[in-house]
Amino acid sequence: MSKIGILQIGRYPTWDEGPLNETFEMHRYFEVEDKAGYLADVGARIRGIATRGGLGADRALIDALPALEIISVYGVGYDAVDLDAARKRGIRVTNTPDVLTGDVADLGVAMMLAQARSIVGAHEWVKSGNWASQGLYGLKTRVHGKRAGILGMGRIGREVARRLAAFDMEIAYSDLGPCDVPDQWAFIADPVELAAASDFLFVTLAASEATRHIVGKRMIDALGPNGMLVNISRASNVDEHALLDALETGKLGAAALDVFDGEPGINPRFLSLDNVLLQPHHASGTVETRKAMGALVYDNLVAHFEGRNLPSAVI
Ligand code: 8YV
């Protein structure tokens, strides 16, 4: 029997590509130059898409695949998948929740610590010989005991908050309503008020049209010249121009960012700032987590084509 055709939108580690190639006829879309010609050629044979969080699958792609049944996303975020287009055609969509939660929270906390204590700059101070030639490094900002705001108390927000509680931080959060979390974590309905009550503000919201630029000028101003924004969600949750303006003028103290508009080609204005920590969208990027994510992408595809329940269905 011929193998089922799957359109692969981006590269995966070899340990994931092995099982996918063995089970399915994988079409390496990301290596194709003439994409329209390729889809006209093989589009009718494609029954599944294997994609990544940032790459998704837009309406034009979904429309070009008449036999499409499932889109399996390597990532918890599925904002780049056109869910309406998928829903209309009864196409299933899966993601990789839970397995990456701890790693994303770890990186968010590490980014806060790194930026507050200037770990990268201090490393350079030692390596460049400045410590020996110029003396002590400048004093930085304390983290423990400060006020943390969590915008989005979902799986990742909770894990960030749990870690911050161990730093004796005061935790407050915004979400659609109060969540089932420890009583000491204060619910603040208005995100602008949350920002005003935070020294470190973590953006941990699942992105959608509704959350686009939720962190805008008002929230950024409320966070203020001593505040730090940590974004480990999606760039679209933050108005990047307002953020850059505030960082450049000192209206916002600092930012630690794992996600950017138009990534990986980020706005060059970020490169001349010294109050930012820039990370290459790798919050889930550990061997352990990426293996679990790849396994889930594969398991969802296999379950679908064997007619079993999907391990992690979005729709
Ligand atoms: C990426 C992510 O999918 O989980 C998400 O939503 O954005 C990430 O885990 C991962 O970087 C692979 O591209």
Side-chain angles (χ1 to χ4, degrees), residues 52-54 74-77 100 234 281 284 290 293:
R52 299 202 312 239
Y74 177 85
V76 67
L100 48 64
R234 282 289 185 270
H281 194 159
S284 67
R290 288 290 168 86
M293 289 165 64

Coordinates of all heavy atoms in Angstrom, one line a residue, residues 52-54 74-77 100 234 281 284 290 293, ligand 1:
R52 N 5.4 23.8 12.1 CA 5.9 24.2 13.4 C 5.1 25.4 13.9 O 4.4 26.0 13.1 CB 7.4 24.6 13.2 CG 8.3 23.5 12.7 CD 9.7 23.8 13.1 NE 10.2 25.1 12.8 CZ 11.2 25.4 11.9 NH1 11.8 24.4 11.3 NH2 11.5 26.6 11.7
G53 N 5.2 25.7 15.2 CA 4.4 26.8 15.8 C 4.4 28.1 15.0 O 3.4 28.6 14.7
G54 N 5.6 28.5 14.7 CA 5.7 29.8 14.0 C 5.3 29.8 12.5 O 5.1 30.8 11.9
Y74 N 4.0 21.3 15.6 CA 5.2 21.1 16.5 C 5.3 22.4 17.3 O 6.0 23.3 17.0 CB 6.4 20.8 15.6 CG 7.7 20.6 16.3 CD1 8.1 19.3 16.7 CD2 8.7 21.6 16.3 CE1 9.4 19.1 17.2 CE2 10.0 21.4 16.8 CZ 10.3 20.1 17.2 OH 11.6 19.9 17.7
G75 N 4.5 22.5 18.4 CA 4.5 23.7 19.2 C 3.2 23.8 19.9 O 2.2 23.2 19.4
V76 N 3.1 24.5 21.0 CA 1.8 24.7 21.7 C 1.0 25.7 21.0 O -0.2 25.7 20.9 CB 2.0 25.0 23.2 CG1 2.7 26.3 23.4 CG2 0.7 24.9 24.0
G77 N 1.6 26.8 20.4 CA 0.9 27.9 19.8 C 0.4 27.5 18.4 O 1.2 27.0 17.6
L100 N 6.1 21.0 26.8 CA 7.1 22.1 26.7 C 6.9 23.1 27.8 O 7.8 24.1 28.0 CB 7.1 22.8 25.3 CG 5.7 23.2 24.8 CD1 5.0 24.2 25.6 CD2 5.9 23.7 23.3
R234 N 4.0 35.1 22.1 CA 4.2 35.5 20.7 C 4.4 37.0 20.5 O 3.8 37.7 21.3 CB 2.9 35.1 19.9 CG 2.7 33.6 19.6 CD 3.7 33.2 18.5 NE 3.4 31.8 18.1 CZ 4.0 30.7 18.7 NH1 4.9 30.9 19.7 NH2 3.7 29.5 18.3
H281 N 13.8 32.7 19.8 CA 12.6 31.9 19.9 C 13.0 30.4 20.2 O 12.7 29.6 19.4 CB 11.8 32.0 18.6 CG 10.4 31.5 18.8 ND1 9.4 31.8 18.0 CD2 9.9 30.6 19.7 CE1 8.2 31.2 18.3 NE2 8.5 30.5 19.4
S284 N 11.3 26.5 24.0 CA 11.1 25.0 24.1 C 12.3 24.2 23.6 O 12.2 23.0 23.5 CB 9.9 24.6 23.3 OG 10.1 24.8 21.9
R290 N 12.1 18.9 22.9 CA 11.9 18.8 21.4 C 11.7 17.3 21.0 O 10.9 17.1 20.1 CB 13.1 19.4 20.7 CG 13.2 20.9 20.8 CD 12.0 21.6 20.0 NE 11.9 23.0 20.3 CZ 12.6 23.9 19.6 NH1 13.5 23.7 18.7 NH2 12.4 25.2 20.0
M293 N 8.1 16.8 21.8 CA 7.2 17.5 20.9 C 7.2 16.7 19.5 O 6.1 16.6 18.9 CB 7.8 18.9 20.6 CG 7.6 19.9 21.8 SD 8.6 21.4 21.6 CE 7.9 22.1 20.2
Ligands
8YV1 C1 8.1 26.5 18.4 C2 6.6 27.5 19.8 O1 7.1 25.7 17.9 O2 5.4 26.0 21.1 C3 5.3 27.0 20.4 O3 4.3 27.6 20.2 O4 6.6 28.6 19.3 C4 7.8 26.8 19.8 O5 7.9 25.7 20.6 C5 9.4 25.8 18.2 O6 10.4 26.7 18.4 C6 9.7 25.1 16.9 O7 9.7 26.0 15.9

